[in-house]
Amino acid sequence: MEEWNQTLGAVPLLLIAAGAIALILVLIIGAKLHAFLVLVLVSLLTALATGIPIDAVPKVLLDSFSGTVGPVALLVGLGAMLGALVETSGGARVLAEKMVSIFGEKRAALALGVASLIMGFPMFFDAGLIVMLPIIFAVGRRIGGKHMLLYGITAAGAFSVMHVFLPPHPGPITANETFGGNLGLVLLVGMVVAIPTWYLTGYLWARFVDRRIPLPIADLFGGEDVQPTNPPKAGTVIGVLAIPLVLILLNTGVSSLVSAGVFDGDAFWTQALRLIGTSQIALLLSVLVALFVLGTRRGESGTALEKIVDRSLGPICSVVLITGAGGMFGGVLRASGIGGALSDSLASIGIPVIFAAYLIAVVLRVAQGSATVALVTAAGLVAPAVAAAGFSPLQLACVVLATAAGSVFAGHVNDSGFWLVGRLMGMDVKTTLKTWTVQQALESVVGFAFVLVIFGLVSLV
């Protein structure tokens, strides 16, 4: 596979990709076949159609699948365990009651969104969403049980904008390193962009689609009818859920200080703090604490807790497999060379640098699914032009954020995150396309618009 060179041009590759996506939609929506089977089948057909050597096809499929499933399975599995413990202990219900009593029913979705913005600063998108889900479900059931999109999209949109626009998330950090920008300015401008973008494309969009698609609240953790006699206090639940937040934030802080030369990165204590602050380890420690605080200390036996944790894994098996298969499909598109062919074509178009960075990231995102690949490729292509443009530090921060905004555009069937969000919230493919894919497109466009405004104002000074 290392010696293989793609001989097809951008146009046939793009047509193959478009045909593969259309086939996925027809088989899942029209023929009602299971998404996992469809994604594996179409991934195989796409690999063959794009000319990937037959002996290399199994490795491409398996590497793409395992590369996605590895981190996702750990995050979703541990998150499901934590969610089940919070749910079955009555903690989610208690916290939902507390939130509704403080903010009122009409502002409950807004409160969930603000909480998700705060959690989304140090936590990656998928980890933060998993931790927040039991609270989303509990609040939704507390207020009628028919507004999955209102609460789910509001919270997911909050995690998304934080992941896209703010360090320490990999997107803006990668683009900033490529362009040689100032990370502090990226953080500052990113905050100015992220919050109004979330309000418009997360909260208001969620309210809009919720009125048109009244989805019932999902029951991922199996705790809908659980009403224990001795539920934990709201403060206890908040403390348990804050553990991964604090550990990941600690990891972020230590890593930043190591990069700045303040701490020794080889010291045992810095390595230990960074280890326990990784998303998967932080969630593992949270589950262990939850087993004691929400289980043993409340009088639950070990056998009962083991059954709760075991039951939590059943419903998420489909989520993990379908997400992995989505990653497989995206991996095949990347291995086929479609990204390189498209980026080479777009690089030759003479447009302003900030627009070029955004548009290249958009096209690559839609074509092959991975936001990271779209971002890294787009940043690498326009880096020489950025260096030659003589941008001020603030202008450079805007270019960084414009590239990041393009990398999130319209996540669909070739994006593993599309399947993760859809399945966690109980949506079918058609509904996920109409809600989440559109939300991601709006988030990208609106975020880029805010960046352009700031870029224009800075350029006038």
Side-chain angles (χ1 to χ4, degrees), residues 177 183 252-265 274:
E177 290 177 352
L183 197 61
T252 301
V254 171
S255 298
S256 299
L257 292 173
V258 167
S259 300
V262 177
F263 294 151
D264 179 10
R274 294 166 80 174

Side-chain angles (χ1 to χ4, degrees), residues 341-354:
L342 282 173
S343 60
D344 290 343
S345 300
L346 287 170
S348 63
I349 302 175
I351 57 177
V353 172
I354 192 168

Side-chain angles (χ1 to χ4, degrees), residues 173 175-186 386 392-393 396-397 400:
I173 284 183
N176 183 72
E177 290 177 352
T178 303
F179 296 147
N182 184 307
L183 197 61
L185 288 177
V186 172
V386 170
S392 70
L396 196 55
V400 168

Side-chain angles (χ1 to χ4, degrees), residues 11 18 38 45 55 99 102 117 126 200 216 224 244 251 297 303 311 341 347 351-352 364 404 418:
V11 173
V38 171
L45 296 176
D55 59 347
M99 290 183 67
I102 294 174
L117 286 172
D126 41 12
L200 293 173
E224 185 172 357
N251 176 17
R297 199 174 72 172
T303 302
R311 284 199 305 267
I351 57 177
L364 293 174
F418 170 89

Side-chain angles (χ1 to χ4, degrees), residues 27-282:
L27 292 178
I28 294 176
I29 299 174
K32 307 297 183 185
L33 292 179
H34 194 277
F36 175 69
L37 295 175
V38 171
L39 286 166
V40 174
L41 172 63
V42 176
S43 296
L44 172 61
L45 296 176
T46 303
L48 296 174
T50 54
I52 294 175
I54 293 178
D55 59 347
V57 169
K59 178 174 173 57
V60 171
L61 296 179
L62 292 176
D63 285 354
S64 301
F65 181 80
S66 60
T68 303
V69 163
V72 168
L74 284 172
L75 286 173
V76 175
L78 291 168
M81 291 179 182
L82 180 60
L85 291 166
V86 171
E87 187 94 57
T88 55
S89 68
R93 185 185 298 272
V94 168
L95 193 52
E97 294 283 352
K98 191 71 173 178
M99 290 183 67
V100 172
S101 68
I102 294 174
F103 298 102
E105 293 188 3
K106 292 183 178 180
R107 291 187 293 274
L110 190 63
L112 282 171
V114 172
S116 299
L117 286 172
I118 295 171
M119 292 183 68
F121 179 72
M123 299 183 75
F124 282 10
F125 172 81
D126 41 12
L129 185 60
I130 286 291
V131 171
M132 198 67 184
L133 274 177
I135 312 305
I136 295 171
F137 294 158
V139 170
R141 284 196 286 268
R142 167 64 175 75
I143 310 175
K146 297 180 181 179
H147 301 285
M148 184 70 250
L149 294 180
L150 174 60
Y151 304 115
I153 297 295
T154 294
F159 284 112
S160 180
V161 297
M162 299 300 279
H163 192 84
V164 170
F165 293 111
L166 291 184
H169 296 289
I173 284 183
T174 301
N176 183 72
E177 290 177 352
T178 303
F179 296 147
N182 184 307
L183 197 61
L185 288 177
V186 172
L187 177 61
L188 179 63
V189 179
M191 286 291 291
V192 174
V193 171
I195 293 175
T197 297
W198 162 74
Y199 185 80
L200 293 173
T201 68
Y203 176 58
L204 293 185
W205 172 249
R207 290 183 61 182
F208 176 81
V209 296
D210 181 69
R211 289 194 294 267
R212 286 154 179 79
I213 310 175
L215 281 185
I217 299 297
D219 188 25
L220 182 67
F221 304 121
E224 185 172 357
D225 299 319
V226 175
Q227 298 188 44
T229 57
N230 59 335
K233 296 180 179 179
T236 302
V237 180
I238 293 173
V240 171
L241 295 179
I243 291 173
L245 177 68
V246 171
L247 291 178
I248 293 171
L249 187 59
L250 183 63
N251 176 17
T252 301
V254 171
S255 298
S256 299
L257 292 173
V258 167
S259 300
V262 177
F263 294 151
D264 179 10
D266 295 327
F268 174 79
W269 70 271
T270 58
Q271 294 181 3
L273 289 177
R274 294 166 80 174
L275 172 65
I276 65 174
T278 57
S279 298
Q280 290 83 358
I281 303 301

